[in-house]
Amino acid sequence: MSLLAALSVPGGTIGFVPVATGSADTLVSHTGVPLARVTTFKFTLDVNDEQHHRLLAHAGASRLAFNHHLARVKANLDQRAAEKSYGVDEADLTPALSWSKISFISEMNAWKDGRAPDARVEIQDEGTIVRGLPWRSEVSADVFETASVNAAQALKNWANSRKGARAGKSAGFPRFKSRHRTTPKFRVRAKYKEGSAPSVRASSARAITFPKLGELRVREKTRQLRRLYERGRFHAYAAAFTYERGRWTVTITGVAAQLHHQRRNAAAPGRTQARVGVDLGVKTLAVAADEHGNQIKVWEGVKALQAAQVRLKLANQALARTKRSSNGRRKAARRLGKMHGRVAAVRKALLHSISSELAKGSAVLVIEDLNAAGMLRNRKLARHISDAGFRELRRQLEYKSAWYGTELVVADRWFPSSKTCSSCGAVKAYLSLADRVYECAACGLVIDRDLNAAINLARYTPPTDPEGTKTSPPLPAAA
């Protein structure tokens, strides 16, 4: 038997609960509810000038810690490279620094406390010598630790990329964070002792309490978060603060209890029991159809970026005419940022509506494995593809399908959903993007291109052979 981690919540304490050997450890609240559903809450902060500067101080401390670790590692690598160029033996080289998260945290604690040999030394006005950072007590210690973890992870990504052990685009050496060009952000962990109140919690209808920062007002209501805390159905791991477009936002990440079993029942009344395929496109954002050839719904998309092009152009021109470091430039940049923020909010609201409707109303969903990064290389369609948000829609479908008990199937990237006839199964050798209507030369089927692709996706069956070339033939489309 293994034991679960202990966790405190208001009104009770999560104790050590035995679980079967071999199962994943899951936090269990004082009410006996397992907490395994990864959940985030995002709020917009409503802070005054004093709180704004305290948040900026935390972001500056995070940036300082990140740059400190990169500077140490870069200096050590340059020194070793220089010694190798001089012909120094491997055994006589300057010892390499450890890039582990634990070593970075330990080194940062010693450096900011003044215990490290290379710690800062400051002589104050009265002649007192202070080692380390004299303002370190004004900032949460979590900021330094989380920044150290981020630096260690960035260096690990770079090292793995050089070795070929990291998938995706190659990662270069981490860049130093500039005070003027880097978005102010930092993260604090929600640590607290057993039996005490959580350090990150909703203290009132429109206020949240954070460690070291105290109570901060938010623009949105905290009712849902507060109720989950009171019932022992949520535990926060961390809170990430970001300052962009002239306002602070905080994202609280944690684990919550599973939704009600009726909401996770794939066979519940009202759900489409047939497999549903979802085809994504630029002209029409999403088309859903079942395996029997019936069209379920079509989402045209808001195309928020395209609709805001005229206003964004004028705002960019106004920003270009301002003087650097002037108040007018800051105001123009704030206006431009608000426009981009509204575009992003409109797009995300639509994607949440689509993903929720699909995840709640279907038992089995089949989506495409689109190469969004490769599609962006098409300069004529790059802006429209970015405006559609294909990757974000897939991300939302992935976690919402797990929430509502929906089976999510990702079709192979090379599956010819658009070129295949949904009636006879014939595959066209060539189909241009301009062909919006699919016409089959074999059986004479004439059907909308996106609907045809959605039907084929609904009938998709993963390959059975190791090479992945055999797929099940499509069924006839409904009249």
Side-chain angles (χ1 to χ4, degrees), residues 367-422:
I367 61 175
E368 299 175 279
D369 182 19
L370 295 176
N371 182 16
M375 296 168 66
L376 291 175
R377 297 173 186 169
N378 187 335
R379 298 182 61 182
K380 295 182 179 179
L381 296 176
R383 189 176 66 196
H384 302 282
I385 294 172
S386 298
D387 195 16
F390 295 151
R391 185 62 186 90
E392 174 64 16
L393 180 57
R394 174 175 172 176
R395 185 189 71 84
Q396 294 180 12
L397 284 174
E398 285 175 348
Y399 77 80
K400 290 183 180 181
S401 297
W403 282 7
Y404 296 103
T406 303
E407 180 184 353
L408 184 65
V409 180
V410 180
D412 184 78
R413 179 170 295 181
W414 307 111
F415 176 64
S417 59
S418 298
K419 296 181 179 180
T420 304
C421 176
S422 57

Side-chain angles (χ1 to χ4, degrees), residues 10 44 70 86 95 97 121 150 195-196 207 214 219 223 240 270 317 321 402 454 476:
T44 303
L70 292 191
Y86 299 151
L97 295 178
V121 179
N150 293 341
S196 61
R219 296 177 183 266
R223 177 181 179 181
Q317 290 175 347
R321 296 189 185 103

